[in-house]
Amino acid sequence: MDAVTLTRPNLALIAALMAALTLPAGAQERPAPRPEGDAPDAAAAQAPKPDAAPLTFGLAGPFLAARMATVESDFQAAARYFVQAVAHDPGDRFLQDSALVALVSAGEIDRAVALADRIGSEGEPTELSHLIHRADLVHSGDWTGLLADVGTPGDAELEADLLAGMLRGWGLLGAGKASEALAEFERLSRVPGVAPMVNYHLALARALVGDYEGAESLLADDMTGAHILGFTARAQILAQLERRDDAVAMIEAIPGVEAEPQLLALRDRIKSGQPVAFDVVRTPADGIAQVFLTFASALLSSPDPEPLSLIHARLAAWLSPDTAEARLMVAQILQERQQFDLAEPEFDALRRMGQMRPVAELSRIDTLSRAGRTEEAGKAALSLTAAYPDLPQAWIALGDLLRQQEKFAQAVPAYDKALALLADAPADARWFPLYARGIALERSQQFDRAEADFLAAIEIRPNQASLLNYLGYSWIDRNENLDRALDLIKKAVELSPDDGYILDSLAWAYYRLGRYQDAVEPMERAILTMSQDPLVNDHLGDIYWKVGRHREAEIQWHRALSLDPTDSDDVDPDRIRAKLDRGLDAVLAEEAAGAVETPAPAPQAANN
């Protein structure tokens, strides 16, 4: 179950939304304004240019900077530069809309409202400025103004502008016209293709006015209520109807509910007889926030979800800051766009609200780690283990972070905790933490425990190539169980014949066993897929030397050095230089005479 999916993707809804709201999607394609003095050709001079910006240096600079910021999804910079561009040409509708997109995306809603008001006062509003104006009417509680703005559309207009119809329904409720509001939602539900989405809002409206029976009957339909907010609303409504056993049974039957602690906490409150309020929406403004959130969710399924989905999610969070799903969607969209500085305040707000979502947090931790923001990832992992100490995935995520930072001894206790929590879980849930703990143990010189973990993991996943490779290579490196070790690595190659790391392991296993000629072919295959890896080039040089191909060995060692190896590459540049100077045999003899241990690099480990 997806924590942020509010409705099933609805192609009719998406098409209507895309038609109803046109944003400056061509921002990246629009040519930059020319400086004064650049004369256009004759044909261009005669062509009408209603949206053309003044050809000034003052506009070109901010416009180009804004374009670059937009390409990089740097919404704060884009907002700053588009606002500067609008100041140079206040009447350019393209620049106005682009500024609004950037301001809303950056979360600067108050500034976007001010700009939208100015656009409306100076002439015909754009589609986006009109949307923002309507959101501001809701934010200020001006229901009369909102109803006047959306009007009373006929059936054809309802189908063409679903958003206006939904705003009217909630606006009527805000104006105290409950019967008219419910009738409006019922009328809108007859538009082809949108009944489930509209019925969800009709259910919320019914519950808000106290018609819990009518609300529950709508949410009982999976097409209407089978999403996290629908489940939450239905459980709260069942509690109002004193059908607590039904509410508990409904929650416990939700697939994947163990990953949704908020639902489990709600179940426990209902089960224990504690008072449970209906608070999915508290006001009509919350209802309109859910409209924007529903549209944002649907737009995420469109071929080009940005910036429409983020704009709707931002407006939802602005209208209803306590709606956790709105903040979560904003945070996740920003995270996907690598805008961590904008996403983090949203995640912080969720934590303060007690609405930290484990699935979303795990994704966030992984994204931060992949982006190299390890300190933030570590803090997020620690926060998750503190908030949900009984969640094994949180401890696995913490262990993985520590292991990726080569803090192997510190990673072991995190995996210990995860495996203790998974003691009664299905075996398949245990193989990866066993494998990961095995790596951490092996790298922290605790091989007996590591070997036991690897063997236990192999019993669960006998065809996991990276697992077979790791144990086989470890045995080879320790000169133990050599025949079985080589069999494990050969099987890993059969399972992943194009994996350069595993081919490198096979070749190096042959090398360690003195089977130099056998090592050549797999190492040459490895280099085809990993030509930029200094370790593989160094290994191939050693193998070539051992089979008498000394000139080729030197070429590979030179190449390894040219790739600027570091400690993280498990390559010693000084040792390579010594091999180039004196030959591999001399270096090995010196190391043997000096009892210098040259440990083999660890095999490549899988991260998932």
Side-chain angles (χ1 to χ4, degrees):
M1 181 179 64
D2 188 337
V4 299
T5 299
L6 304 184
T7 61
R8 292 179 173 83
N10 186 302
L11 296 180
L13 172 60
I14 293 169
L17 286 169
M18 300 298 284
L21 179 58
T22 302
L23 299 182
Q28 296 179 19
E29 287 72 38
R30 178 176 175 174
R34 286 187 305 275
E36 283 182 337
D38 283 5
D41 59 35
Q46 296 174 8
K49 291 182 280 188
D51 290 333
L55 308 181
T56 67
F57 283 108
L59 174 59
F63 178 76
L64 290 171
R67 279 185 64 190
M68 181 59 67
T70 300
V71 169
E72 296 175 351
S73 296
D74 187 346
F75 301 121
Q76 290 176 311
R80 180 168 65 253
Y81 290 122
F82 272 126
V83 167
Q84 291 178 18
V86 169
H88 284 284
D89 185 5
D92 189 298
R93 292 167 65 86
F94 175 88
L95 293 177
Q96 291 169 345
D97 261 359
S98 296
L100 289 175
V101 169
L103 286 167
V104 175
S105 297
E108 299 183 40
I109 310 297
D110 291 339
R111 293 181 66 196
V113 168
L115 178 57
D117 288 346
R118 197 182 85 197
I119 293 170
S121 67
E122 294 176 352
E124 186 69 21
T126 67
E127 293 286 355
L128 182 54
S129 70
H130 195 189
L131 175 71
I132 294 170
H133 174 66
R134 287 176 170 179
D136 185 45
L137 292 172
V138 177
H139 192 260
S140 61
D142 186 355
W143 301 111
T144 301
L146 177 67
L147 291 172
D149 188 87
V150 298
T152 308
D155 290 343
E157 288 80 9
L158 278 178
E159 186 167 353
D161 192 349
L162 293 169
L163 181 58
M166 299 294 291
L167 295 179
R168 176 172 172 76
W170 283 110
L172 287 166
L173 197 58
K177 302 176 181 181
S179 297
E180 293 180 47
L182 299 178
E184 185 69 11
F185 282 122
E186 289 171 353
R187 182 165 74 109
L188 188 59
S189 71
R190 294 192 288 272
V191 173
V194 300
M197 182 269 288
V198 175
N199 282 337
Y200 169 67
H201 287 271
L202 175 58
L204 297 183
R206 286 190 180 280
L208 197 58
V209 301
D211 180 9
Y212 295 121
E213 289 86 354
E216 198 281 326
S217 66
L218 288 167
L219 292 173
D221 183 349
D222 282 348
M223 293 295 293
T224 299
H227 47 84
I228 190 169
L229 284 174
F231 292 132
T232 302
R234 188 179 176 207
Q236 291 178 350
I237 289 167
L238 287 169
Q240 312 311 307
L241 296 170
E242 296 300 326
R243 294 171 55 188
R244 289 177 176 260
D245 290 344
D246 291 340
V248 170
M250 184 270 293
I251 292 174
E252 291 181 343
I254 297 170
V257 72
E258 63 278 356
E260 296 295 342
Q262 282 73 23
L263 281 174
L264 296 177
L266 175 59
R267 176 203 63 186
D268 293 342
R269 291 201 306 274
I270 294 172
K271 200 171 186 177
S272 65
Q274 297 178 46
V276 173
F278 173 73
D279 62 4
V280 170
V281 291
R282 299 181 178 89
T283 67
D286 288 343
I288 289 179
Q290 293 239 3
V291 171
F292 284 126
L293 187 56
T294 302
F295 284 8
S297 181
L299 286 163
L300 281 173
S301 302
S302 69
D304 185 18
E306 297 286 355
L308 283 171
S309 54
L310 179 57
I311 287 170
H312 283 81
R314 278 290 199 188
L315 291 176
W318 183 60
L319 292 176
S320 186
D322 293 333
T323 298
E325 282 69 22
R327 287 190 176 272
L328 178 58
M329 184 175 290
V330 169
Q332 290 182 317
I333 294 173
L334 290 169
Q335 177 182 265
E336 289 170 3
R337 308 297 289 183
Q338 301 287 298
Q339 294 303 300
F340 300 109
D341 291 338
L342 288 174
E344 286 306 300
E346 304 302 321
F347 284 117
D348 288 340
L350 288 167
R351 282 192 291 274
R352 290 194 301 271
M353 295 161 60
Q355 291 285 338
M356 184 186 293
R357 300 292 173 81
V359 172
E361 284 295 295
L362 290 168
S363 172
R364 172 175 167 244
I365 291 164
D366 180 65
T367 301
L368 287 169
S369 176
R370 291 176 186 274
R373 298 169 73 115
T374 53
E375 183 176 352
E376 292 165 84
K379 289 178 180 178
L382 288 170
S383 295
L384 186 59
T385 58
Y388 299 105
D390 295 329
L391 185 70
Q393 290 83 359
W395 294 101
I396 293 170
L398 177 59
D400 287 348
L401 275 174
L402 293 168
R403 179 168 55 86
Q404 289 157 14
Q405 296 174 59
E406 299 189 359
K407 299 177 180 178
F408 299 111
Q410 296 176 47
V412 171
Y415 292 126
D416 288 344
K417 178 68 173 178
L419 285 162
L421 291 168
L422 291 168
D424 298 324
D428 204 53
R430 293 172 53 81
W431 86 267
F432 181 77
L434 282 167
Y435 174 32
R437 185 175 69 178
I439 295 170
L441 288 165
E442 186 269 335
R443 298 306 297 269
S444 56
Q445 310 304 313
Q446 301 179 65
F447 187 74
D448 288 345
R449 285 190 63 195
E451 182 182 52
D453 278 353
F454 291 141
L455 290 170
I458 287 172
E459 284 188 19
I460 301 169
R461 285 285 187 94
N463 293 319
Q464 184 67 36
S466 57
L467 173 57
L468 299 171
N469 175 56
Y470 204 106
L471 178 56
Y473 190 92
S474 297
W475 274 338
I476 291 286
D477 186 45
R478 296 173 62 85
N479 201 33
E480 297 174 1
N481 303 319
L482 300 183
D483 290 339
R484 187 178 178 192
L486 191 57
D487 287 343
L488 290 180
I489 297 174
K490 285 180 176 179
K491 183 176 180 181
V493 171
E494 291 174 5
L495 293 166
S496 296
D498 298 322
D499 188 313
Y501 289 108
I502 296 177
L503 288 167
D504 174 72
S505 289
L506 177 60
W508 204 240
Y510 282 134
Y511 176 90
R512 301 281 288 192
L513 293 170
R515 295 171 58 177
Y516 305 121
Q517 196 61 53
D518 290 336
V520 173
E521 188 269 340
M523 189 61 78
E524 288 180 336
R525 286 170 57 197
I527 206 73
L528 291 175
T529 61
M530 302 172 64
S531 60
Q532 300 302 308
D533 189 302
L535 176 63
V536 176
N537 282 279
D538 184 33
H539 279 178
L540 182 56
D542 288 7
I543 291 169
Y544 278 159
W545 184 275
K546 284 296 187 179
V547 296
R549 296 162 65 173
H550 292 181
R551 179 58 185 150
E552 291 169 276
E554 291 169 354
I555 291 172
Q556 295 304 137
W557 291 331
H558 277 296
R559 176 160 179 76
L561 285 176
S562 75
L563 295 170
D564 296 323
T566 63
D567 289 342
S568 62
D569 296 314
D570 288 315
V571 175
D572 181 355
D574 289 337
R575 187 171 186 269
I576 295 178
R577 294 186 188 99
K579 289 187 289 188
L580 285 166
D581 183 45
R582 300 187 295 279
L584 175 60
D585 294 332
V587 170
L588 292 175
E590 291 165 4
E591 290 171 348
V596 177
E597 183 179 354
T598 307
Q604 177 72 8
N607 290 321
N608 49 53

